[in-house]
């Protein structure tokens, strides 16, 4: 592909698109946003369509699409785009199931286009520094604490409580995307999932992992946290105690901050997408999604008090 801006369409104009995708694209010279498709939302100053089918039919010059609808609906949209030979950017999580995304990988290859599973938290500014630190020492144990207030971050978003909506694993998969990047390969040994009696997805989860060399890793997810929010990964190592906090924005060793920068995750995601489009490759890591699937498969279900957002 030439160095001309990639003609991009965006599908699913909701909160994440307005908060993150549109601001990132507005500053990125690698793209020209030429169309949008959404049942309800619209993007100003470009053609808007009610469905991805209508967008693809009316905008043949599209080279790529960014799919930002809930994961339960992403597979069908991705198949349409890939079959039309468009490169596809998948918001996280990349699909409702591992097998769906595996099929999309094969379809992208068959059609000679690129597929990108966009784990945005991996692009938080201190993640690579944490990975380098852990790679330079011996880890004794690790813990993931990801606790936030769903009413603040997902107001009136009923899809997250529906089957396939992930519940607390919607933010939890962000933690897993970082953990699978900076820690040794790990596997779930036990899990408990707390389901509100009036919801079909969990509001909290308590998970024990072990790595291939026996390292213990615990994970606590909770969507009922009020006050300060917690997005932390901790590790006890021979070189000191590591805390990666703020969702990956700040790294401290033995209480001393060694890396902290402003968040720029979505600009970095779109930079990476442009790289793979122009290189003619794909970037689809399924490890975070696989861990979510394993948690649902192995987890004991606890019914807890009804939740109203």
């Amino acid at each position: 592909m030439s160095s001309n801006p990639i003609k991009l369409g965006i599908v699913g104009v909701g909160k994440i698109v307005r908060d993150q995708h549109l601001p990132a694209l507005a500053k990125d010279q690698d793209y020209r946003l030429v169309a949008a498709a959404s049942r309800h939302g619209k993007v100003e100053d470009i053609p808007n369509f009610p469905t991805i089918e209508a967008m693809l039919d009316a905008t043949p010059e599209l080279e790529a699409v960014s799919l930002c609808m809930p994961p339960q609906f992403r597979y069908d949209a991705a198949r349409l785009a890939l079959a039309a030979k468009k490169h596809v950017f998948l918001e996280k999580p990349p699909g409702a199931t591992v097998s769906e995304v595996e099929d999309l990988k094969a379809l992208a290859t068959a059609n000679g286009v690129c597929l990108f599973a966009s784990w945005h938290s991996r692009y938080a500014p201190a993640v690579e520094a944490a990975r380098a630190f852990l790679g330079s020492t011996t880890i004794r144990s690790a813990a993931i604490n990801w606790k936030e207030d769903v009413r603040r971050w997902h107001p009136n978003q009923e899809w997250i409580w529906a089957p396939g909506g992930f519940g607390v694993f919607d933010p939890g998969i962000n933690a897993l995307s970082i953990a699978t990047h900076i820690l040794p390969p790990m596997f779930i040994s036990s899990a408990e999932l707390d389901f509100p009696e009036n919801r079909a997805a969990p509001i909290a989860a308590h998970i024990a992992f072990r790595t291939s060399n026996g390292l213990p890793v615990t994970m606590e997810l909770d969507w009922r946290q009020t006050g300060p929010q917690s997005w932390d990964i901790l590790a006890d190592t021979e070189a000191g105690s590591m805390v990666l906090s703020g969702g990956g924005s700040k790294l401290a060793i033995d209480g001393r901050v060694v890396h902290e920068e402003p968040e720029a995750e979505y600009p970095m995601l779109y930079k990476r997408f442009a790289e793979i489009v122009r290189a003619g490759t794909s970037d689809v890591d399924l490890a975070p999604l696989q861990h979510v699937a394993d948690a649902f498969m192995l987890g004991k279900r606890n019914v807890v008090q009804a939740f109203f957002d």
Side-chain angles (χ1 to χ4, degrees), residues 236-265:
D236 176 41
T237 81
E238 288 187 354
S241 176
M242 185 204 83
V243 179
L244 180 63
S245 59
S249 64
K250 182 167 71 172
L251 177 66
I253 309 298
D254 287 335
R256 181 175 67 90
V257 175
V258 297
H259 196 104
E260 184 175 18
E261 295 178 35
E263 182 271 321
E265 295 174 12

Side-chain angles (χ1 to χ4, degrees), residues 21 66-68 74 88-94 115-123 173-174 177 265-266 268-270 272-273 283-285:
H21 291 258
S66 185
L67 300 182
C68 307
R74 202 166 293 145
V88 172
F89 177 119
L90 299 169
E91 237 304 355
K92 69 87 191 171
L115 186 67
F116 180 40
S118 63
W119 300 115
H120 66 81
S121 289
R122 282 190 181 170
Y123 294 81
I173 205 168
N174 294 335
S177 72
E265 295 174 12
Y266 278 81
M268 293 298 292
L269 283 180
Y270 276 103
R272 175 60 179 155
F273 187 43
D283 184 350
V284 186
D285 179 9

Side-chain angles (χ1 to χ4, degrees), residues 37 55 65 90 113 117 136 192 207 217 243 245 276 285-286 297:
M55 183 182 77
V65 297
L90 299 169
V113 290
S136 71
E192 292 194 17
I207 300 172
V217 181
V243 179
S245 59
I276 69 169
D285 179 9
L286 289 175
M297 182 169 64

Side-chain angles (χ1 to χ4, degrees), residues 89-101:
F89 177 119
L90 299 169
E91 237 304 355
K92 69 87 191 171
T97 69
V98 174
S99 57
E100 283 183 351
V101 187

Side-chain angles (χ1 to χ4, degrees), residues 96-147:
T97 69
V98 174
S99 57
E100 283 183 351
V101 187
E102 288 284 9
D103 187 62
L104 295 178
K105 287 170 60 178
L107 187 60
T109 299
N111 283 280
V113 290
C114 306
L115 186 67
F116 180 40
S118 63
W119 300 115
H120 66 81
S121 289
R122 282 190 181 170
Y123 294 81
V127 168
E128 290 303 326
R131 187 184 190 196
F133 170 75
L134 292 176
S136 71
T137 186
T138 299
I139 308 169
R140 299 188 183 109
S141 64
I144 304 164
N145 296 315
W146 225 256
K147 301 177 181 181

